[in-house]
Amino acid sequence: MTTFQDRLSNGVTNLLVIMRMFWPDGCVGALEIDRNSPGFWNKCINEFLCYYTYDPRFATEAEARASILAHMRDNLRRTLSDDRERADAKIAGASGTTYVDHRPLYMKPGVWSRLAQYWVSEEFKKKSAAGKKARQAVKVPHTSGARSFDRRRRDYMEAHDGKLDELAVYKECHTLKEEERKGEWITEDAQKIIVSVQIILNYTPGIIIIKAH
C-alpha cells in the first residue's frame, strides 16, 4: 500500500476525486462545509485511507488525519481558484456566456450552480480584492508546494543520516524548481535573509548541523 507521507502530492488527483464525490451541494468553501456539512471531512479522510496509509515512524494516526485534513482544506481553496480561472478563460472566448454555461464534467451540478452565483457576488469580489492585496504584501513566498517545512526537514534528515541543516532546508524551500531556473531564489528578500544569517553565524554549508533527537 502506498505510504501517505511519500505519496500525498502524487495522490492529489485521487483525493480530489474523493472530495468531489462527497462535496455537499450549495457549499462554496471550507467554512460553508464546516457549517452545513461538517461530516464531509472525515468521510473523505476515511475513504482516502482505504487507498493510502501513513508511516508510523513519522506520525500517529491522529497526526496523519490532521495532515490530510489540512491538505484537503488548502487543496479545496486552490482547486476552486483553478476551476474559476479555467471558466474565466472560456467565458472570455465565448461572448455572452456565464459560469453556469461552463460546468466541468467532474463538478456536481448542485455545487457548480452555487459557485456560479458566488463568483459574481459582491462578497466574493471584496474577498478576492483583499486576498490579492495580501499576496502582494508577501515578500518571502515559499516554493515547498504541498509539503510542509517539517516534512522537508524530515526528508533532509532521511537523506543525511539523521542530521539537519536548517539553512539548506530553507534554501530548498525558497528556490525555483523549474529546470531553466532551478536554484534561483524566489525573491531577493528570500536570498537576503539567508545571506544575513550566514554572515552572522559565519556559516559554511554542512557545518551548522543539528543531530536529530
Side-chain angles (χ1 to χ4, degrees):
M1 185 174 286
T2 306
T3 301
F4 158 65
Q5 282 94 344
D6 292 338
R7 292 289 302 279
L8 184 55
S9 294
N10 293 330
V12 167
T13 300
N14 290 335
L15 188 54
L16 273 176
V17 168
I18 292 169
M19 291 170 66
R20 286 166 176 159
M21 179 172 63
F22 294 128
W23 200 321
D25 287 350
C27 293
V28 299
L31 293 180
E32 285 198 4
I33 290 175
D34 289 341
R35 288 194 299 266
N36 302 326
S37 187
F40 164 80
W41 305 108
N42 276 332
K43 186 183 293 185
C44 291
I45 292 171
N46 291 338
E47 183 71 16
F48 184 71
L49 289 176
C50 290
Y51 304 97
Y52 292 81
T53 188
Y54 59 92
D55 191 331
R57 294 177 301 170
F58 301 117
T60 64
E61 180 179 353
E63 290 170 336
R65 294 179 73 90
S67 183
I68 297 171
L69 175 59
H71 186 79
M72 287 173 60
R73 295 180 74 92
D74 183 60
N75 200 35
L76 180 68
R77 175 183 56 78
R78 287 187 287 109
T79 191
L80 286 178
S81 178
D82 290 344
D83 286 335
R84 181 175 56 81
E85 288 179 3
R86 284 191 286 267
D88 284 339
K90 291 180 179 179
I91 291 171
S95 179
T97 62
T98 67
Y99 289 118
V100 174
D101 301 307
H102 298 287
R103 177 179 69 86
L105 294 178
Y106 55 74
M107 188 69 76
K108 293 164 63 177
V111 174
W112 188 257
S113 62
R114 175 71 178 94
L115 288 170
Q117 294 174 348
Y118 178 65
W119 285 334
V120 296
S121 69
E122 288 302 316
E123 177 187 1
F124 173 76
K125 292 176 182 178
K126 289 179 180 178
K127 288 183 178 180
S128 181
K132 183 177 181 179
K133 185 176 181 180
R135 288 191 296 273
Q136 290 174 340
V138 175
K139 294 184 177 180
V140 188
H142 68 79
T143 59
S144 185
R147 290 198 169 193
S148 68
F149 292 165
D150 282 341
R151 180 58 191 166
R152 293 289 183 183
R153 292 186 183 97
R154 290 198 296 270
D155 289 344
Y156 186 94
M157 290 164 66
E158 288 177 11
H160 294 84
D161 192 29
K163 297 177 181 179
L164 175 62
D165 186 329
E166 288 281 7
L167 296 190
V169 175
Y170 175 90
K171 184 175 182 180
E172 172 67 20
C173 294
H174 294 86
T175 51
L176 300 175
K177 306 297 186 290
E178 295 85 354
E179 192 62 35
E180 303 79 14
R181 302 179 62 191
K182 189 173 183 179
E184 291 185 23
W185 291 98
I186 185 68
T187 64
E188 289 185 9
D189 287 304
Q191 184 177 16
K192 287 177 181 177
I193 289 174
I194 199 169
V195 168
S196 297
V197 172
Q198 289 173 333
I199 292 173
I200 292 171
L201 299 178
N202 192 25
Y203 172 77
T204 301
I207 298 300
I208 300 179
I209 294 178
I210 304 170
K211 186 70 177 180
H213 295 294

